[in-house]
Amino acid sequence: MAPATPAIDVVSITKVYESGQEAGVTALKGVSLQIRDNEFFTLLGPSGCGKTTLLRLIAGFEEPTEGHILLYGDPIEGLPPHRRPVNTVFQSYALFPHMTVAQNIAFGLQMKGVARDEASRRVGEMLDLVRLKGMENRKPGQLSGGQQQRVALARALASGPRVLLLDEPLSALDLKLRKEMQIELKRLQTETGITFIFVTHDQEEALTMSDRLAVMSQGEILQVGDPRSIYERPVRRFVADFIGETNFLTASVGSRDGAAARYDLPGGETLIGPPPPDGAGSGPVTLAFRPEHVSVSAATGAGLSGRIQNIVYFGTDTSYHVQLDSTGTRITARLQNRIGTLPALEIGMPVRVQVAPEAVQVLED
């Protein structure tokens, strides 16, 4: 069976913004990416990494300096935004304050010349889809932030785009509403079967909603994968550091034994982990492991020796910050708060830190 045609195929895209100086600003550097049909795909990265630029190129608000973009196999560069089967939901929602909810949703349909009866039918479908039935005659100023966002989504979905672009649409919402809308967005994507491309700098949003995500930095894509693989098996230090909380240690590669290797830390202690990646040189490597994969016990038995510097209670879990004796590095262990299971540890107490070999990731940089 032939592989399915990607919804979006980004091929070696470079985008340079001319600034009047001798060299312009390069926002994207030879980016290639395939986004599947009926996928919730997230572009994740810090401000200035190029994620919004890539979204604007797909939408047609910008044109690439080099490279091509295909939508279901058809090239779209050069097409104006209104001729692309793509709609965008912006951070500001951009609702017309003088129009009702129904009029806002119908606006795009009217611009495309859809008959009034058909437009009315689609508006009703969209109101049901975003769960705003009964609010069609309200103005945007009479709605909550979450309701306004649903109207913006309904308006974007009403014309039946093949791809929906979402440019940080949750950033203006409070924490509780943002979490609710994360679930709603994933529901909408599943029910409509439309490819969603979501831009955010929020790691939790990306992990919660995405089928797959791309982590970006300085105009490049560093890693693409499903949320679990990105979180548990990052390949670059930036990815491990940007996605959640991570412990890092610098070590040299010692002996190897099949699927495991010994890593020597400064000061003489060792840690067991997977073999280093292919092509790794003889110099030091970076070991990464998540706080929830670290255990801490009284200073007896195996493990790295250290001393507790701080204890932070978070309600659902407790973090123990331990300074290692051999390297001076501070390691965080996060233990879930279950009745009767937390160790009796205090600040200043000497402890041992244990990390399971399968929890250790050896990074390329």
Side-chain angles (χ1 to χ4, degrees):
M1 181 181 295
T5 302
I8 296 291
D9 193 358
V10 177
V11 184
S12 301
I13 285 292
T14 294
K15 177 61 180 178
V16 179
Y17 290 101
E18 300 299 335
S19 61
Q21 303 173 356
E22 184 174 336
V25 177
T26 302
L28 294 172
K29 306 171 184 176
V31 168
S32 293
L33 175 68
Q34 288 190 340
I35 299 174
R36 301 165 186 160
D37 181 39
N38 191 18
E39 181 173 41
F40 197 120
F41 193 94
T42 296
L43 301 173
L44 173 67
S47 297
C49 72
K51 56 187 186 296
T52 296
T53 297
L54 182 53
L55 199 78
R56 291 177 62 82
L57 288 170
I58 296 171
F61 301 134
E62 306 279 356
E63 288 296 325
T65 306
E66 296 178 7
H68 306 281
I69 300 177
L70 306 177
L71 191 148
Y72 290 97
D74 296 323
I76 57 174
E77 60 263 20
L79 285 179
H82 69 274
R83 292 188 58 195
R84 302 185 183 201
V86 173
N87 271 346
T88 305
V89 177
F90 299 98
Q91 182 177 339
S92 63
Y93 310 150
L95 299 178
F96 298 109
H98 62 286
M99 292 184 180
T100 65
V101 166
Q103 290 168 340
N104 267 283
I105 296 173
F107 180 78
L109 299 173
Q110 293 171 351
M111 293 297 99
K112 291 188 174 185
V114 176
R116 180 172 298 182
D117 289 347
E118 175 62 14
S120 179
R121 184 188 67 80
R122 291 197 201 176
V123 168
E125 289 180 350
M126 292 302 105
L127 288 168
D128 285 337
L129 184 66
V130 299
R131 299 174 179 172
L132 287 178
K133 199 71 173 179
M135 297 187 181
E136 51 266 40
N137 294 321
R138 295 190 186 184
K139 299 288 183 64
Q142 298 172 298
L143 304 176
S144 68
Q147 290 168 338
Q148 289 182 35
Q149 188 205 55
R150 291 172 189 233
V151 176
L153 285 165
R155 182 177 61 186
L157 291 168
S159 60
R162 302 188 75 182
V163 175
L164 184 66
L165 310 176
L166 301 110
D167 189 6
E168 303 207 45
L170 305 184
S171 60
L173 304 179
D174 62 56
L175 179 61
K176 183 177 180 181
L177 186 54
R178 193 160 65 242
K179 289 181 178 295
E180 292 175 358
M181 288 307 302
Q182 289 170 9
I183 298 172
E184 282 296 294
L185 278 176
K186 183 56 183 173
R187 177 188 67 83
L188 287 171
Q189 190 274 323
T190 301
E191 290 188 11
T192 61
I194 295 172
T195 300
F196 278 26
I197 304 177
F198 186 87
V199 162
T200 185
H201 62 273
D202 188 301
Q203 304 95 324
E204 182 179 329
E205 284 183 0
L207 295 174
T208 299
M209 297 185 291
S210 307
D211 296 315
R212 290 190 305 145
L213 59 139
V215 182
M216 300 185 66
S217 176
Q218 297 182 347
E220 298 179 309
I221 293 177
L222 303 185
Q223 188 172 350
V224 178
D226 63 86
R228 182 180 293 275
S229 64
I230 293 287
Y231 182 82
E232 295 186 359
R233 290 292 178 261
V235 298
R236 306 280 289 274
R237 178 167 182 144
F238 178 89
V239 177
D241 198 22
F242 190 75
I243 305 290
E245 188 177 3
T246 312
N247 296 303
F248 296 104
L249 289 175
T250 301
S252 57
V253 182
S255 61
R256 307 187 192 195
D257 181 16
R262 189 193 79 239
Y263 295 92
D264 300 323
L265 304 177
E269 293 189 310
T270 63
L271 200 64
I272 304 300
D278 293 339
S282 58
V285 297
T286 298
L287 307 179
F289 45 93
R290 300 292 184 182
E292 63 269 25
H293 297 152
V294 180
S295 59
V296 181
S297 59
T300 58
L304 307 177
S305 62
R307 191 173 296 272
I308 293 182
Q309 298 293 305
N310 197 16
I311 300 175
V312 182
Y313 175 78
F314 287 106
T316 57
D317 51 56
T318 297
S319 287
Y320 297 86
H321 302 290
V322 179
Q323 185 173 25
L324 299 183
D325 295 332
S326 59
T327 65
T329 306
R330 194 170 81 164
I331 296 297
T332 300
R334 187 163 63 241
L335 306 182
Q336 191 171 7
N337 291 331
R338 295 177 178 173
I339 296 176
T341 62
L342 288 180
L345 302 175
E346 298 178 356
I347 294 176
M349 180 181 292
V351 293
R352 291 281 181 173
V353 173
Q354 297 91 26
V355 185
E358 59 269 22
V360 176
Q361 185 76 359
V362 186
L363 304 181
E364 295 178 5
D365 54 2

